[in-house]
Every structure is written in C-alpha cells, then in structure tokens.
Amino acid sequence: VQVLRNAGEEVTLTVSFLKRAPAFLKLPLNEDCACAPSDQSSGTSSPLCDSGLHLNYHPNNTDTLSCSSWPTSPGLRWEKRWCDLRLIPLLHSRFSQYVPGTDLSRQNAFQVVAVDGVCSGIIQCLSAEDCIDWLQAIATNISNLTKHNIKKINRNFPVNQQIVYMGWCEAREQDPLQDRAYSPTFLALRGSCLYKFLAPPVTTWDWTRAEKTFSVYEIMCKILKDSDLLDRRKHCFTVQSESGEDLYFSVELNSDLAQWERAFQTATFLEVERIQCKTYACVLESHLMGLTIDFSTGFICFDAATKAVLWRFKFSQLKGSSDDGKSKIKFLFQNPDTKQIEAKELEFSNLFAVLHCIHSFFAAKVACLDPLFLGNQATASAAPSSATTSKAKYTT
C-alpha cells in the first residue's frame, strides 16, 4: 500500500497488524530500508542506517552511528529488520474511505484516526478487494477491543445501566448549506438511553456530558435502503427522536450497520423487559385520561381523576392505527365478544414518544417469540434460565 503525506509526497510503506498486539495498526518501513549487522558479511550498507539510526548490535550504540563509519569485517553482514514509523492504537479509533465531511469516497483508499487524533495518513490499496479486506480486518479488531472494554466497564455499572453498544459513525448535518455535510459522532447504548457524544466517554463523569440523550424505547431506528439514501454514502440509518426530529447517520461497512441494528434491538428489548409498562397522559373528549402500555396485558385507558378503567385490550386485539402527525392517535381494536372493530381516539402532547413506545413494546413481544433472539440474549447475559422464563411468561 501507499501512504500520502500532507505535502503530497508519496511514500511506499508496508502496513501490517501486530499479531501479538492486535490493538495497534502498525506502519513499518519497507523491509529493504532497515537492517542490522550479523556474523556474515554481504558488503552492503543500509540507507536507513546511513541516515543515523541507533543500532543495538554495535558495542558503542549510545551514540548516533552511520554505516559508512563502521569498520568493514568479513564476519558481518546486514540483516533486514522492521522499523515502525507509526503505531496507532485501535481502541475507539475510527476509519473511513470518505473525504472528511463529504459523501465523496476515495478510490481504494482509507485512513485511520486514533482517539487522540493521530492519523495514519491516506492508505492507498492496489485493488478494491484489498481495500475491503483491510477495512474489514481493522473493523474486526476495533470491534473486539470495544467488546472487551465494554465488558470491563460494565463491572462497575448496575444491571439496569449496562452498556450494549459503543462505536463511531458519521452524523449528517441538518443544515445542507454547511460546507461540512458530515461530522464524526460517537454513539453508545447504555441502560435506558442512547447517548450521542463528540468523543468516547472514558470516565463516569463523561456520561453526564453527552451532547444528546434519548430514551431508547421512545425513539425509532430505521435501516435505510438504497432508494432512501440522501447522497452517495452507503450503509446509513436514521433515528427519529421523541420530538419527531430525524437524525441521519452513516457507517463504513455493512457489517457495522448489522452490528448497530442488533445492538439497538437488544437495548430496546432489555429496557422494555425491565420497565414492563409505561403510562402517558392523554385527552379523550376534553377529559384528562391516562393510557398504560403494559407488556403483559396490553392497552389500558383510565380516568386520570378516579383511576376507573374505561377500556382495555390485548396487543393481539389491535388491528390498526393512524395518527395526524401532530397529537391524535386513532386505535382500531377488535372486541373479543362481538368481533366488531372499535375505534378509540386519544390526544397526546408527546405523540412521537407514544408511537415509538408502542412500536418498541410490539417489537419486544415479537422478539419473545424468536428462539434464536432469546438464545443470543441468554448467551450474552450468561443466564439461560432467565431467557427461558421470559419466553414462557410473555408468549401467553
């Protein structure tokens, strides 16, 4: 591969991972440029040594030595050695094929940026296949390091505040007139919230300084198809907040997108399973009411003053719904006795939060019917009996 320096000078480098230290991306010089003496002489010198490299082999290596000043000896020769130019820690680092801030993808090239801002420079691969291989290898190492780090951090957090996901993405700016259309954003799913950071949280205090936080069961995530993309960036998703604001994100690889989707589903399921029910204030014919969404029993509408229940329906009895995009939701329930469809219209001050919450509860109910999903949750939590109990409890 090739690395382009800031001044535009092109330098050929060999890029490799340290097999015994996969937490780093290693940028060593081409092996023909580094050497050290041994007991067999070849009569050649090293350009890197001539530039003043310290050689540990020489007995007087406390001073800068040049190869041309060494006495020739028939018992010595040069051996090729690696010399690291740059070592980039991969934990919380990010990589991209795109020109920063744009949707323009570099041809078979990418760069890696460490959490402290150290950059690899632009790494140019010989083919698209090589580039994808490198990106996938780097992504796998970053993912493994992140999972290990999350496991350590979660030891200090209670069960209801466990981290499910952490990772970089690119957030699309709301203002299309800005020169920079995308900016790096660090997302984390922890407990009941989705956190949006400018930089990865390192300390407990950092979690209180997130740029934005959202209740995970009151937001909606959508993985975008190619026809839904807003520009040339691929692998995108949106998050609609409780207020109805749409946030647009881009990740580098399809595997990153799949990892995010699984993590969001898991975080939503765990939080719905934990809270079990959520109540929202609403208005019915000018009277203040309450609507409870209960994971076990379904929908319950009651008078806010007297607590008297007006009606209740199971999730399976909801046959349809519609909203006006502002405040009103019309539910279509099937009466269990008459089999007739009954319309119930309620008005909410936080329409999108209610809609997203209902969707989250339905998604969690569906997930409880998926043995594969429950099996994955049991493996992740190391509590198979809990997953089995959940399935038996919520499929009735």
Side-chain angles (χ1 to χ4, degrees):
V1 298
Q2 294 176 330
V3 175
L4 303 181
R5 292 180 176 172
N6 294 333
E9 180 185 359
E10 190 174 284
V11 181
T12 300
L13 299 178
T14 300
V15 183
S16 64
F17 286 109
L18 291 175
K19 292 184 178 179
R20 288 176 295 177
F24 293 91
L25 177 67
K26 181 180 181 183
L27 297 181
L29 277 171
N30 188 289
E31 62 175 345
D32 290 335
C33 297
C35 58
S38 72
D39 56 354
Q40 295 181 2
S41 175
S42 64
T44 62
S45 63
S46 163
L48 188 58
C49 292
D50 287 337
S51 66
L53 177 70
H54 289 272
L55 297 177
N56 294 330
Y57 183 87
H58 197 274
N60 298 322
N61 64 354
T62 55
D63 298 321
T64 299
L65 302 174
S66 66
C67 296
S68 58
S69 64
W70 283 26
T72 59
S73 170
L76 295 177
R77 74 171 181 86
W78 292 108
E79 285 185 352
K80 297 176 182 179
R81 295 282 181 87
W82 294 106
C83 180
D84 296 341
L85 287 182
R86 192 169 299 168
L87 216 57
I88 301 176
L90 290 180
L91 179 61
H92 293 329
S93 67
R94 53 189 171 88
F95 61 93
S96 181
Q97 279 192 276
Y98 295 98
V99 176
T102 73
D103 62 341
L104 180 62
S105 179
R106 296 186 178 98
Q107 189 69 23
N108 304 336
F110 65 94
Q111 66 177 354
V112 182
V113 182
V115 68
D116 58 358
V118 175
C119 182
S120 66
I122 301 172
I123 301 175
Q124 183 73 47
C125 298
L126 299 179
S127 67
E129 292 76 12
D130 290 342
C131 189
I132 291 298
D133 287 346
W134 271 109
L135 291 175
Q136 191 61 64
I138 294 173
T140 299
N141 272 35
I142 293 175
S143 177
N144 291 338
L145 289 167
T146 302
K147 290 177 182 177
H148 181 69
N149 192 46
I150 289 175
K151 186 176 180 180
K152 292 194 298 183
I153 296 175
N154 279 342
R155 296 172 185 169
N156 302 317
F157 288 144
V159 175
N160 63 336
Q161 295 183 27
Q162 295 286 289
I163 301 171
V164 176
Y165 173 89
M166 297 174 71
W168 284 101
C169 65
E170 295 274 336
R172 195 174 195 269
E173 300 295 341
Q174 299 292 333
D175 186 0
L177 298 179
Q178 290 190 8
D179 294 335
R180 191 178 184 88
Y182 287 87
S183 58
T185 298
F186 194 84
L187 297 182
L189 292 167
R190 175 191 166 203
S192 63
C193 293
L194 165 64
Y195 294 82
K196 183 172 179 282
F197 294 98
L198 295 177
V202 177
T203 65
T204 304
W205 174 249
D206 290 338
W207 289 94
T208 66
R209 298 187 293 175
E211 185 182 17
K212 288 184 178 181
T213 59
F214 309 93
S215 296
V216 70
Y217 58 90
E218 291 183 333
I219 59 178
M220 179 83 75
C221 177
K222 179 182 179 182
I223 305 301
L224 300 182
K225 300 178 181 178
D226 291 344
S227 58
D228 299 326
L229 300 176
L230 298 181
D231 50 40
R232 289 172 290 186
R233 287 209 177 209
K234 302 178 181 179
H235 316 310
C236 299
F237 64 93
T238 59
V239 172
Q240 189 176 61
S241 68
E242 302 98 320
S243 63
E245 177 188 13
D246 285 320
L247 305 176
Y248 192 97
F249 299 99
S250 167
V251 292
E252 287 295 320
L253 303 173
N254 190 57
S255 58
D256 296 334
L257 193 62
Q259 183 182 11
W260 159 259
E261 185 178 22
R262 289 193 301 269
F264 186 82
Q265 292 172 349
T266 297
T268 302
F269 174 81
L270 292 176
E271 187 58 20
V272 169
E273 191 179 43
R274 186 185 71 82
I275 65 174
Q276 288 294 302
C277 66
K278 179 67 177 180
T279 300
Y280 293 96
C282 58
V283 175
L284 173 64
E285 299 176 353
S286 301
H287 295 287
L288 185 60
M289 302 289 177
L291 178 68
T292 296
I293 308 167
D294 190 282
F295 197 40
S296 299
T297 60
F299 299 89
I300 304 171
C301 184
F302 60 92
D303 186 281
T306 64
K307 307 302 181 183
V309 176
L310 275 69
W311 48 261
R312 67 173 72 231
F313 292 96
K314 296 180 180 180
F315 285 104
S316 59
Q317 293 173 312
L318 180 64
K319 300 306 178 181
S321 65
S322 60
D323 64 88
D324 62 358
K326 297 178 181 179
S327 61
K328 295 181 180 179
I329 304 178
K330 180 182 286 187
F331 299 97
L332 300 178
F333 294 105
Q334 185 178 47
N335 189 298
D337 299 323
T338 65
K339 305 302 180 182
Q340 298 297 313
I341 300 298
E342 298 182 8
K344 307 291 184 181
E345 186 174 81
L346 301 175
E347 187 172 356
F348 299 87
S349 61
N350 49 351
L351 174 69
F352 291 100
V354 177
L355 290 174
H356 298 160
C357 181
I358 293 173
H359 179 272
S360 296
F361 273 67
F362 265 101
K365 293 288 287 186
V366 173
C368 285
L369 302 177
D370 184 357
L372 179 61
F373 180 84
L374 292 176
N376 291 336
Q377 297 307 309
T379 301
S381 62
S385 58
S386 174
T388 305
T389 302
S390 298
K391 182 179 179 181
K393 180 178 180 181
Y394 300 124
T395 54
T396 56

